[in-house]
Amino acid sequence: MLQSGSVLVSKKDSSSSDGESHDYGLFDKGEGWKRHRTFLQTGMLDPVAARGFLPGIVLAAESASSVAPLHSHNVNEYMNYTAFDMFCSFMFGKQMNTTSTSVSTDPTVKGENKENEQFVTAALGVFEKTNAMNLFPLEFLMAKFFPWYKTTKYQALQDDWDTVREIGLRLIY
């Protein structure tokens, strides 16, 4: 992981033809972005592939629906967890069940799903912190003119990103 201004990037194993040695994932531009986007889009839109992952998304939605009343105190949190459970079912082929375990009172259930909850909480934290940082021009200016100085907001974002990356790579590999 490399810190570059206000952008979080991964170092590539080797430089690409344009000399770029960092992978910006879906936030990349040109061929880097197109490669990631085409990979996801092909898998999402192919009818044969969809028959494979749609049952998992439906299962995640059904599981989330069964505990919806328990989330009545925070519908936004419920929607975030539900969307993530459905997305992770597609992306990782795994039921995260964070919508139901986040409101569970059973310590065994919570313990079994601790890493999944950490992943979702950190991923949501990345989105929330990025959005919050975008509202403060000081964050941009600090990153641009003082890239060696990491603000408290940036450090919190980096912590969440590290958690997402670490757990996400374990899920993938």
Side-chain angles (χ1 to χ4, degrees):
M1 180 66 70
L2 176 80
Q3 300 174 353
S4 173
S6 63
V7 179
L8 302 171
V9 298
S10 302
K11 190 138 178 75
K12 290 182 182 177
D13 291 333
S14 61
S15 294
S16 53
S17 60
D18 64 357
E20 180 58 62
S21 60
H22 299 95
D23 183 354
Y24 296 89
L26 287 173
F27 300 106
D28 215 334
K29 58 184 177 214
E31 286 303 312
W33 172 83
K34 186 176 179 183
R35 182 174 46 86
H36 288 288
R37 180 66 184 170
T38 302
F39 171 76
L40 285 175
Q41 191 171 1
T42 302
M44 289 170 33
L45 300 178
D46 178 58
V48 174
R51 279 191 285 282
F53 68 74
L54 277 177
I57 292 174
V58 170
L59 182 62
E62 287 173 345
S63 175
S65 295
S66 70
V67 295
L70 299 173
H71 287 274
S72 62
H73 65 285
N74 191 340
V75 175
N76 189 48
E77 177 186 79
Y78 169 75
M79 297 302 288
N80 283 331
Y81 276 105
T82 301
F84 238 89
D85 282 352
M86 291 187 299
F87 173 77
C88 289
S89 174
F90 160 72
M91 194 68 187
F92 302 122
K94 177 181 178 184
Q95 293 296 316
M96 301 293 270
N97 296 317
T98 58
T99 308
S100 54
T101 59
S102 66
V103 292
S104 176
T105 56
D106 184 343
T108 304
V109 170
K110 288 197 94 55
E112 290 171 353
N113 210 29
K114 182 179 179 183
E115 185 175 72
N116 291 345
E117 283 196 48
Q118 286 176 320
F119 179 76
V120 173
T121 301
L124 293 172
V126 167
F127 296 131
E128 290 168 7
K129 289 171 179 77
T130 301
N131 289 337
M133 288 172 70
N134 286 333
L135 297 174
F136 293 94
L138 178 61
E139 292 292 326
F140 172 77
L141 293 172
M142 292 297 289
K144 183 170 178 75
F145 295 109
F146 304 104
W148 64 90
Y149 179 78
K150 306 302 178 206
T151 66
T152 304
K153 288 180 184 177
Y154 183 90
Q155 289 172 356
L157 171 65
Q158 181 73 52
D159 290 344
D160 281 346
W161 179 262
D162 289 344
T163 299
V164 168
R165 182 167 168 73
E166 177 186 321
I167 295 172
L169 287 174
R170 258 197 316 276
L171 289 170
I172 293 169
Y173 300 110

